[in-house]
Amino acid sequence: MPETAAATDPAARPPARAREVASAFLRLGVTSFGGPTAHLGYFREEFVRRRRWVSDAQYAELVALCQFIPGPASSQLGFALGMLRAGAPGALLAWICFTLPSALLLGVLAAAGAGLAASAPAAWGGALLGLQAVAVAVVAHAVWGMARGLAPDLPRRAIALGGLALALFIPGTGGQLLAIIGGAGVGLLVAARHRGRGARAAGSVAPTAEAPAPPPASDGELPIRIRPSVGIGAAVLLAALLLLLPLAARAWPELWLLVSETFFRAGALVFGGGHVVLPLLSAEPLIADGLRPDQLMSSYAAAQAVPGPLFTLAAPLGLDLGFAAGFGAWGALGLAALALVMIFLPGMLWLIAVLAVWARVRSHGSARGILWGVNAAVVGILAAALVSPVVPAGLTGWVPLGIALLGGALLARGRVPAWQIVILGALAGAAAAALGVPLGW
């Protein structure tokens, strides 16, 4: 079992700490609008400034770690903070309370959408077009923001362009994996070159604009200890599921096995957070063949309008797959729950495995180099998602183009939250359709 600083705190018993974790993350689950970057701000305010569970430096180190490994960074950060405060029960409660409100809201939106599609098909179709148009603005804004932060110089821009080319010309997971591996390889080479220069010049590595920056300094080790055996178990389970689920799904192509394999693999390979899961899922045969493009894009856009992690778009996708296969309501809900668990599970296994060895590798230059290159490659992967499928699905006429441009302008100003822009886009599309304005080119 993990050992944490909270485990030695005599002022709080385990049940009280678990209730504290549940209360804090449930409130964040219903108020954390704005996407992964905003979540990091909410978490810092709650757990560094208000509750003082960790210091600023320790929080920054946890953020860097969660951004370094595959999976949803904000959910992994919440998982780690819950573990820090109340051990394994706290980690599980943190994930449930932060994720469940978003998944339930998306289910409500999906059910409401089915009713609106039957009673007001024109308005509902316009609302979907508005949601897809806003998705173009949101992804474009994310590409621009990530490019400024993660690819600010020529070497990293070159990595990003290489990732863009690979993701576009080698469709599906293969191109994205090659982009990530290539970025990691270039980062390792750059780190090794600068270590060599530093060793010859002064015996140390000095970060430059082209070299990976060192990890945040920490005022003490992270107060989370995971036994090596637990970390090894998490790594073995992750590898076993990645290997065995595709074999099982091929041998027994039952829908629940296909959903398990598809969403687990997507969750295991996502670097860069929820925005990058869209191109991964859109390239999956189960999604591409089982759902219409507008179902994927509308679920992605709706995930922008609710609080919590973007990975919860797995829930409405699982629901849609269940209904498309002729399942009843309970069967479709079961698939939604399965998709939700399977897309988050690999990220948590990654985190447990890495935390078990993090104290030994946290300051190694190679780890910094991999992070430097992978982050730049993620910019290219997200840009490829913008090119296809986001822009073709979202910009289908002059009205969607206008909605996308307006959404982009509001996002650039930074005064209107993304979730409000999503709602405005849906209302604008519905109003245009109700007024009979042509929505195509």
Side-chain angles (χ1 to χ4, degrees), residues 142-195:
V143 170
W144 177 250
M146 290 177 69
R148 293 178 63 187
L150 301 180
D153 48 48
L154 185 60
R156 281 177 281 188
R157 288 171 190 160
I159 294 173
L161 288 174
L164 169 64
L166 285 170
L168 284 178
F169 292 109
I170 305 178
T173 305
Q176 296 153 9
L177 276 177
L178 284 175
I180 290 170
I181 292 169
V186 173
L188 280 173
L189 291 175
V190 171
R193 185 183 68 182
H194 282 283
R195 283 200 304 272

Short mmCIF file of all heavy atoms in Angstrom, two decimals, residues 142-195:
data_model
loop_
_atom_site.label_atom_id
_atom_site.label_comp_id
_atom_site.label_asym_id
_atom_site.label_seq_id
_atom_site.Cartn_x
_atom_site.Cartn_y
_atom_site.Cartn_z
N ALA A 142 -6.15 25.72 -28.59
CA ALA A 142 -5.24 24.84 -27.85
C ALA A 142 -3.93 24.65 -28.61
O ALA A 142 -2.85 24.64 -28.00
CB ALA A 142 -5.92 23.49 -27.60
N VAL A 143 -4.01 24.46 -29.94
CA VAL A 143 -2.79 24.32 -30.74
C VAL A 143 -1.91 25.55 -30.59
O VAL A 143 -0.70 25.47 -30.38
CB VAL A 143 -3.14 24.08 -32.22
CG1 VAL A 143 -1.89 24.17 -33.09
CG2 VAL A 143 -3.80 22.72 -32.40
N TRP A 144 -2.53 26.73 -30.71
CA TRP A 144 -1.76 27.97 -30.63
C TRP A 144 -1.12 28.12 -29.24
O TRP A 144 0.07 28.44 -29.13
CB TRP A 144 -2.66 29.15 -30.93
CG TRP A 144 -1.99 30.49 -30.80
CD1 TRP A 144 -2.22 31.44 -29.85
CD2 TRP A 144 -0.97 31.03 -31.65
NE1 TRP A 144 -1.42 32.53 -30.05
CE2 TRP A 144 -0.63 32.30 -31.15
CE3 TRP A 144 -0.31 30.55 -32.77
CZ2 TRP A 144 0.34 33.10 -31.74
CZ3 TRP A 144 0.66 31.35 -33.37
CH2 TRP A 144 0.97 32.61 -32.85
N GLY A 145 -1.91 27.89 -28.19
CA GLY A 145 -1.37 28.03 -26.84
C GLY A 145 -0.27 27.02 -26.55
O GLY A 145 0.76 27.37 -25.96
N MET A 146 -0.47 25.78 -26.97
CA MET A 146 0.55 24.76 -26.73
C MET A 146 1.80 25.03 -27.55
O MET A 146 2.93 24.80 -27.09
CB MET A 146 -0.01 23.37 -27.05
CG MET A 146 -1.05 22.89 -26.06
SD MET A 146 -1.76 21.29 -26.52
CE MET A 146 -0.35 20.21 -26.25
N ALA A 147 1.63 25.52 -28.78
CA ALA A 147 2.80 25.83 -29.61
C ALA A 147 3.64 26.94 -28.98
O ALA A 147 4.88 26.87 -28.98
CB ALA A 147 2.34 26.24 -31.02
N ARG A 148 2.98 27.94 -28.41
CA ARG A 148 3.73 29.03 -27.77
C ARG A 148 4.49 28.54 -26.54
O ARG A 148 5.61 28.96 -26.27
CB ARG A 148 2.78 30.15 -27.38
CG ARG A 148 2.16 30.87 -28.56
CD ARG A 148 1.18 31.92 -28.12
NE ARG A 148 1.82 32.97 -27.36
CZ ARG A 148 1.16 33.95 -26.73
NH1 ARG A 148 -0.17 33.98 -26.78
NH2 ARG A 148 1.81 34.87 -26.07
N GLY A 149 3.88 27.61 -25.79
CA GLY A 149 4.52 27.16 -24.57
C GLY A 149 5.47 26.00 -24.75
O GLY A 149 6.50 25.92 -24.08
N LEU A 150 5.15 25.08 -25.69
CA LEU A 150 5.92 23.84 -25.81
C LEU A 150 6.82 23.80 -27.04
O LEU A 150 7.69 22.92 -27.13
CB LEU A 150 4.96 22.64 -25.86
CG LEU A 150 4.05 22.47 -24.64
CD1 LEU A 150 3.15 21.26 -24.83
CD2 LEU A 150 4.86 22.35 -23.36
N ALA A 151 6.61 24.70 -27.99
CA ALA A 151 7.48 24.74 -29.17
C ALA A 151 7.85 26.19 -29.48
O ALA A 151 7.56 26.71 -30.56
CB ALA A 151 6.78 24.10 -30.37
N PRO A 152 8.54 26.87 -28.54
CA PRO A 152 8.82 28.30 -28.73
C PRO A 152 10.07 28.59 -29.56
O PRO A 152 10.31 29.73 -29.90
CB PRO A 152 9.01 28.79 -27.29
CG PRO A 152 9.60 27.61 -26.58
CD PRO A 152 8.97 26.39 -27.22
N ASP A 153 10.87 27.57 -29.86
CA ASP A 153 12.12 27.80 -30.58
C ASP A 153 12.19 26.88 -31.80
O ASP A 153 11.35 25.99 -31.99
CB ASP A 153 13.33 27.58 -29.67
CG ASP A 153 13.24 26.28 -28.90
OD1 ASP A 153 12.94 25.25 -29.53
OD2 ASP A 153 13.45 26.28 -27.68
N LEU A 154 13.20 27.09 -32.63
CA LEU A 154 13.30 26.39 -33.90
C LEU A 154 13.40 24.88 -33.75
O LEU A 154 12.71 24.14 -34.48
CB LEU A 154 14.49 26.94 -34.70
CG LEU A 154 14.65 26.38 -36.12
CD1 LEU A 154 13.42 26.67 -36.95
CD2 LEU A 154 15.90 26.98 -36.78
N PRO A 155 14.23 24.33 -32.85
CA PRO A 155 14.30 22.86 -32.75
C PRO A 155 12.97 22.23 -32.39
O PRO A 155 12.58 21.21 -32.97
CB PRO A 155 15.35 22.64 -31.64
CG PRO A 155 16.19 23.87 -31.64
CD PRO A 155 15.24 24.98 -31.99
N ARG A 156 12.25 22.82 -31.45
CA ARG A 156 10.98 22.23 -31.06
C ARG A 156 9.89 22.46 -32.10
O ARG A 156 9.00 21.63 -32.27
CB ARG A 156 10.55 22.77 -29.69
CG ARG A 156 11.30 22.08 -28.55
CD ARG A 156 10.97 22.63 -27.21
NE ARG A 156 11.69 23.89 -26.95
CZ ARG A 156 11.69 24.52 -25.78
NH1 ARG A 156 11.00 24.02 -24.76
NH2 ARG A 156 12.37 25.63 -25.63
N ARG A 157 9.98 23.57 -32.85
CA ARG A 157 9.04 23.74 -33.96
C ARG A 157 9.27 22.69 -35.04
O ARG A 157 8.32 22.19 -35.66
CB ARG A 157 9.19 25.14 -34.56
CG ARG A 157 8.64 26.25 -33.65
CD ARG A 157 8.99 27.62 -34.17
NE ARG A 157 8.66 28.64 -33.19
CZ ARG A 157 9.17 29.86 -33.18
NH1 ARG A 157 10.05 30.22 -34.12
NH2 ARG A 157 8.84 30.74 -32.25
N ALA A 158 10.54 22.35 -35.26
CA ALA A 158 10.85 21.30 -36.23
C ALA A 158 10.27 19.96 -35.78
O ALA A 158 9.73 19.19 -36.58
CB ALA A 158 12.36 21.19 -36.43
N ILE A 159 10.38 19.65 -34.48
CA ILE A 159 9.80 18.41 -33.95
C ILE A 159 8.28 18.43 -34.13
O ILE A 159 7.67 17.43 -34.53
CB ILE A 159 10.16 18.24 -32.46
CG1 ILE A 159 11.67 18.03 -32.30
CG2 ILE A 159 9.40 17.07 -31.85
CD1 ILE A 159 12.13 18.02 -30.85
N ALA A 160 7.66 19.58 -33.84
CA ALA A 160 6.21 19.69 -33.98
C ALA A 160 5.79 19.49 -35.44
O ALA A 160 4.80 18.79 -35.72
CB ALA A 160 5.73 21.05 -33.47
N LEU A 161 6.51 20.09 -36.38
CA LEU A 161 6.18 19.92 -37.80
C LEU A 161 6.37 18.47 -38.23
O LEU A 161 5.59 17.93 -39.02
CB LEU A 161 7.04 20.85 -38.65
CG LEU A 161 6.68 22.34 -38.57
CD1 LEU A 161 7.70 23.17 -39.34
CD2 LEU A 161 5.28 22.59 -39.13
N GLY A 162 7.41 17.83 -37.71
CA GLY A 162 7.61 16.41 -38.00
C GLY A 162 6.47 15.57 -37.46
O GLY A 162 5.98 14.64 -38.13
N GLY A 163 6.01 15.89 -36.24
CA GLY A 163 4.87 15.18 -35.67
C GLY A 163 3.61 15.40 -36.48
O GLY A 163 2.81 14.47 -36.69
N LEU A 164 3.40 16.63 -36.95
CA LEU A 164 2.25 16.94 -37.80
C LEU A 164 2.27 16.10 -39.07
O LEU A 164 1.27 15.50 -39.47
CB LEU A 164 2.26 18.43 -38.14
CG LEU A 164 1.29 18.91 -39.23
CD1 LEU A 164 -0.14 18.71 -38.80
CD2 LEU A 164 1.56 20.39 -39.56
N ALA A 165 3.45 16.04 -39.72
CA ALA A 165 3.56 15.28 -40.97
C ALA A 165 3.31 13.79 -40.74
O ALA A 165 2.57 13.14 -41.49
CB ALA A 165 4.94 15.51 -41.58
N LEU A 166 3.89 13.23 -39.69
CA LEU A 166 3.71 11.80 -39.42
C LEU A 166 2.25 11.48 -39.12
O LEU A 166 1.70 10.48 -39.61
CB LEU A 166 4.60 11.37 -38.25
CG LEU A 166 6.09 11.23 -38.56
CD1 LEU A 166 6.89 11.06 -37.28
CD2 LEU A 166 6.34 10.04 -39.49
N ALA A 167 1.61 12.33 -38.30
CA ALA A 167 0.21 12.07 -37.92
C ALA A 167 -0.73 12.20 -39.10
O ALA A 167 -1.76 11.53 -39.17
CB ALA A 167 -0.21 13.01 -36.80
N LEU A 168 -0.38 13.07 -40.07
CA LEU A 168 -1.24 13.24 -41.24
C LEU A 168 -1.02 12.16 -42.28
O LEU A 168 -1.97 11.65 -42.87
CB LEU A 168 -0.99 14.62 -41.87
CG LEU A 168 -1.60 15.83 -41.15
CD1 LEU A 168 -1.22 17.10 -41.88
CD2 LEU A 168 -3.12 15.71 -41.06
N PHE A 169 0.23 11.80 -42.53
CA PHE A 169 0.54 10.90 -43.64
C PHE A 169 0.54 9.43 -43.24
O PHE A 169 0.55 8.56 -44.10
CB PHE A 169 1.87 11.29 -44.28
CG PHE A 169 1.84 12.61 -44.99
CD1 PHE A 169 2.50 13.71 -44.48
CD2 PHE A 169 1.10 12.76 -46.15
CE1 PHE A 169 2.45 14.93 -45.12
CE2 PHE A 169 1.05 13.98 -46.81
CZ PHE A 169 1.72 15.07 -46.28
N ILE A 170 0.56 9.15 -41.93
CA ILE A 170 0.41 7.77 -41.45
C ILE A 170 -0.81 7.78 -40.54
O ILE A 170 -0.70 8.01 -39.33
CB ILE A 170 1.66 7.29 -40.71
CG1 ILE A 170 2.90 7.44 -41.58
CG2 ILE A 170 1.49 5.82 -40.27
CD1 ILE A 170 4.18 7.03 -40.89
N PRO A 171 -2.01 7.60 -41.09
CA PRO A 171 -3.23 7.76 -40.30
C PRO A 171 -3.29 6.77 -39.13
O PRO A 171 -2.71 5.69 -39.17
CB PRO A 171 -4.35 7.49 -41.32
CG PRO A 171 -3.71 7.66 -42.65
CD PRO A 171 -2.29 7.25 -42.48
N GLY A 172 -4.03 7.19 -38.11
CA GLY A 172 -4.28 6.31 -36.98
C GLY A 172 -3.21 6.39 -35.91
O GLY A 172 -2.35 7.28 -35.89
N THR A 173 -3.23 5.39 -35.03
CA THR A 173 -2.34 5.38 -33.88
C THR A 173 -0.88 5.27 -34.29
O THR A 173 0.00 5.82 -33.62
CB THR A 173 -2.70 4.20 -32.96
OG1 THR A 173 -4.08 4.29 -32.62
CG2 THR A 173 -1.88 4.23 -31.69
N GLY A 174 -0.59 4.58 -35.41
CA GLY A 174 0.79 4.38 -35.82
C GLY A 174 1.54 5.67 -36.03
O GLY A 174 2.67 5.84 -35.54
N GLY A 175 0.94 6.60 -36.76
CA GLY A 175 1.61 7.87 -37.00
C GLY A 175 1.81 8.67 -35.74
O GLY A 175 2.85 9.32 -35.55
N GLN A 176 0.82 8.63 -34.85
CA GLN A 176 0.94 9.37 -33.59
C GLN A 176 2.03 8.78 -32.70
O GLN A 176 2.80 9.51 -32.06
CB GLN A 176 -0.41 9.39 -32.89
CG GLN A 176 -1.47 10.14 -33.68
CD GLN A 176 -2.86 9.64 -33.39
OE1 GLN A 176 -3.07 8.84 -32.49
NE2 GLN A 176 -3.83 10.11 -34.17
N LEU A 177 2.10 7.45 -32.66
CA LEU A 177 3.16 6.81 -31.86
C LEU A 177 4.54 7.13 -32.43
O LEU A 177 5.48 7.40 -31.68
CB LEU A 177 2.94 5.30 -31.84
CG LEU A 177 1.97 4.76 -30.79
CD1 LEU A 177 1.82 3.26 -30.96
CD2 LEU A 177 2.46 5.09 -29.39
N LEU A 178 4.65 7.11 -33.76
CA LEU A 178 5.94 7.45 -34.37
C LEU A 178 6.33 8.89 -34.05
O LEU A 178 7.51 9.19 -33.82
CB LEU A 178 5.88 7.24 -35.88
CG LEU A 178 5.93 5.79 -36.37
CD1 LEU A 178 5.75 5.73 -37.88
CD2 LEU A 178 7.27 5.16 -35.98
N ALA A 179 5.34 9.79 -34.05
CA ALA A 179 5.63 11.18 -33.72
C ALA A 179 6.14 11.30 -32.28
O ALA A 179 7.11 12.03 -32.01
CB ALA A 179 4.38 12.04 -33.92
N ILE A 180 5.49 10.60 -31.36
CA ILE A 180 5.91 10.66 -29.96
C ILE A 180 7.30 10.05 -29.78
O ILE A 180 8.17 10.61 -29.09
CB ILE A 180 4.87 9.94 -29.08
CG1 ILE A 180 3.58 10.76 -29.02
CG2 ILE A 180 5.40 9.71 -27.66
CD1 ILE A 180 2.42 10.03 -28.39
N ILE A 181 7.52 8.88 -30.40
CA ILE A 181 8.83 8.23 -30.29
C ILE A 181 9.92 9.11 -30.91
O ILE A 181 11.02 9.25 -30.37
CB ILE A 181 8.79 6.85 -30.96
CG1 ILE A 181 7.86 5.91 -30.16
CG2 ILE A 181 10.18 6.25 -31.06
CD1 ILE A 181 7.56 4.61 -30.87
N GLY A 182 9.60 9.70 -32.07
CA GLY A 182 10.58 10.58 -32.70
C GLY A 182 10.90 11.79 -31.85
O GLY A 182 12.07 12.17 -31.70
N GLY A 183 9.86 12.41 -31.25
CA GLY A 183 10.11 13.55 -30.37
C GLY A 183 10.96 13.16 -29.17
O GLY A 183 11.88 13.90 -28.77
N ALA A 184 10.66 11.99 -28.58
CA ALA A 184 11.46 11.53 -27.44
C ALA A 184 12.90 11.29 -27.85
O ALA A 184 13.84 11.65 -27.12
CB ALA A 184 10.84 10.26 -26.87
N GLY A 185 13.10 10.69 -29.04
CA GLY A 185 14.47 10.43 -29.50
C GLY A 185 15.26 11.70 -29.73
O GLY A 185 16.43 11.80 -29.33
N VAL A 186 14.62 12.68 -30.37
CA VAL A 186 15.32 13.96 -30.59
C VAL A 186 15.64 14.63 -29.26
O VAL A 186 16.72 15.19 -29.07
CB VAL A 186 14.46 14.88 -31.49
CG1 VAL A 186 15.09 16.27 -31.59
CG2 VAL A 186 14.30 14.28 -32.87
N GLY A 187 14.68 14.58 -28.32
CA GLY A 187 14.94 15.16 -27.00
C GLY A 187 16.12 14.52 -26.31
O GLY A 187 16.94 15.21 -25.68
N LEU A 188 16.23 13.20 -26.41
CA LEU A 188 17.38 12.51 -25.80
C LEU A 188 18.70 12.95 -26.45
O LEU A 188 19.70 13.16 -25.76
CB LEU A 188 17.20 11.01 -25.95
CG LEU A 188 16.27 10.32 -24.95
CD1 LEU A 188 16.07 8.87 -25.34
CD2 LEU A 188 16.85 10.41 -23.54
N LEU A 189 18.69 13.07 -27.78
CA LEU A 189 19.91 13.49 -28.47
C LEU A 189 20.32 14.91 -28.07
O LEU A 189 21.50 15.19 -27.84
CB LEU A 189 19.70 13.42 -29.99
CG LEU A 189 19.58 12.01 -30.58
CD1 LEU A 189 19.25 12.08 -32.07
CD2 LEU A 189 20.87 11.24 -30.36
N VAL A 190 19.31 15.81 -27.99
CA VAL A 190 19.61 17.19 -27.61
C VAL A 190 20.15 17.25 -26.19
O VAL A 190 21.12 17.95 -25.89
CB VAL A 190 18.36 18.07 -27.76
CG1 VAL A 190 18.59 19.46 -27.16
CG2 VAL A 190 17.99 18.21 -29.24
N ALA A 191 19.52 16.50 -25.27
CA ALA A 191 19.99 16.49 -23.89
C ALA A 191 21.40 15.94 -23.79
O ALA A 191 22.25 16.48 -23.07
CB ALA A 191 19.03 15.67 -23.03
N ALA A 192 21.69 14.87 -24.55
CA ALA A 192 23.03 14.29 -24.52
C ALA A 192 24.06 15.27 -25.07
O ALA A 192 25.17 15.40 -24.53
CB ALA A 192 23.05 12.99 -25.31
N ARG A 193 23.70 15.99 -26.14
CA ARG A 193 24.64 16.94 -26.72
C ARG A 193 24.97 18.05 -25.74
O ARG A 193 26.13 18.43 -25.58
CB ARG A 193 24.04 17.54 -28.00
CG ARG A 193 25.00 18.47 -28.74
CD ARG A 193 24.35 19.08 -29.95
NE ARG A 193 23.28 19.99 -29.56
CZ ARG A 193 22.52 20.64 -30.43
NH1 ARG A 193 22.69 20.45 -31.73
NH2 ARG A 193 21.58 21.45 -30.02
N HIS A 194 23.96 18.56 -25.04
CA HIS A 194 24.22 19.65 -24.10
C HIS A 194 24.95 19.17 -22.86
O HIS A 194 25.74 19.90 -22.28
CB HIS A 194 22.92 20.35 -23.75
CG HIS A 194 22.45 21.29 -24.82
ND1 HIS A 194 22.99 22.53 -25.03
CD2 HIS A 194 21.49 21.14 -25.78
CE1 HIS A 194 22.40 23.12 -26.05
NE2 HIS A 194 21.48 22.29 -26.53
N ARG A 195 24.68 17.92 -22.46
CA ARG A 195 25.45 17.39 -21.34
C ARG A 195 26.92 17.28 -21.72
O ARG A 195 27.81 17.58 -20.94
CB ARG A 195 24.92 16.02 -20.92
CG ARG A 195 23.64 16.08 -20.11
CD ARG A 195 23.44 14.80 -19.32
NE ARG A 195 23.43 13.62 -20.18
CZ ARG A 195 22.35 13.14 -20.79
NH1 ARG A 195 21.18 13.75 -20.64
NH2 ARG A 195 22.43 12.06 -21.55
#
